[in-house]
Amino acid sequence: MDIKQARGNQGEVYRDAAAIRQAVFVTEQGIDPKLEFDGEDAQMTHYVGYVAGKPVVTARLNDQVAPAHIQRVATLKADRHHGYAFALLQALLNQLPGQTVELNAQETAVDFYKRLGFKRVGDAFLEVGIVHYRMVKN
């Protein structure tokens, strides 16, 4: 898998990231597009994993806060269970050596993030109508 990254909400990487997020979060999970596309993309770094030139997985990083915050991790439905999200996040985390990183994980993804070294912190909460947990990796 080839991983590309770009800061801001312009260009091919962002367009590919937005298309994956639209397919997964808006179409598949029914999240309101106004909540998914929250106006913060211009300040974020977007990561997209490509397999044979096709964008299949994405994440965005807010590294303007401490701790850095990973958001919007999504893999196209047809491309799940191949390790693409794991590889993308490992590459992203390798760019943040020694830094504390946090994310809000959907309940169904908690075990996935534990395999990357994240620990669940606190109680469940609702975000966009979906149960989430705050997770931290030191």
Side-chain angles (χ1 to χ4, degrees):
M1 180 173 68
D2 183 32
I3 297 171
K4 296 180 183 179
Q5 70 183 70
R7 190 164 197 85
N9 60 352
Q10 303 295 317
E12 175 187 14
V13 171
Y14 176 72
R15 284 191 302 275
D16 290 341
I20 294 169
R21 289 167 48 195
Q22 176 73 32
V24 173
F25 295 125
V26 177
T27 303
E28 185 181 332
Q29 295 184 354
I31 295 170
D32 183 335
K34 291 177 184 150
L35 297 174
E36 175 55 33
F37 297 98
D38 57 6
E40 296 184 20
D41 283 332
Q43 293 81 38
M44 305 287 178
T45 301
H46 303 272
Y47 295 78
V48 176
Y50 296 84
V51 175
K54 176 188 169 203
V56 297
V57 62
T58 190
R60 79 176 187 184
L61 175 69
N62 183 353
D63 58 1
Q64 304 300 303
V65 296
H69 195 90
I70 297 172
Q71 305 168 333
R72 308 307 201 265
V73 178
T75 305
L76 292 174
K77 190 172 189 173
D79 297 295
R80 292 182 191 149
H81 308 294
H82 296 286
Y84 300 142
F86 194 87
L88 180 90
L89 290 172
Q90 280 186 314
L92 188 161
L93 291 167
N94 287 342
Q95 295 181 354
L96 305 168
Q99 290 188 43
T100 299
V101 181
E102 68 178 20
L103 54 82
N104 295 335
Q106 290 187 10
E107 184 175 40
T108 57
V110 167
D111 288 340
F112 167 77
Y113 291 114
K114 283 182 178 178
R115 291 195 342 252
L116 284 159
F118 285 86
K119 292 183 173 55
R120 200 172 82 183
V121 178
D123 296 326
F125 61 93
L126 283 180
E127 185 174 325
V128 296
I130 299 170
V131 175
H132 281 73
Y133 288 91
R134 181 173 170 253
M135 299 190 77
V136 176
K137 179 178 173 48
N138 294 311

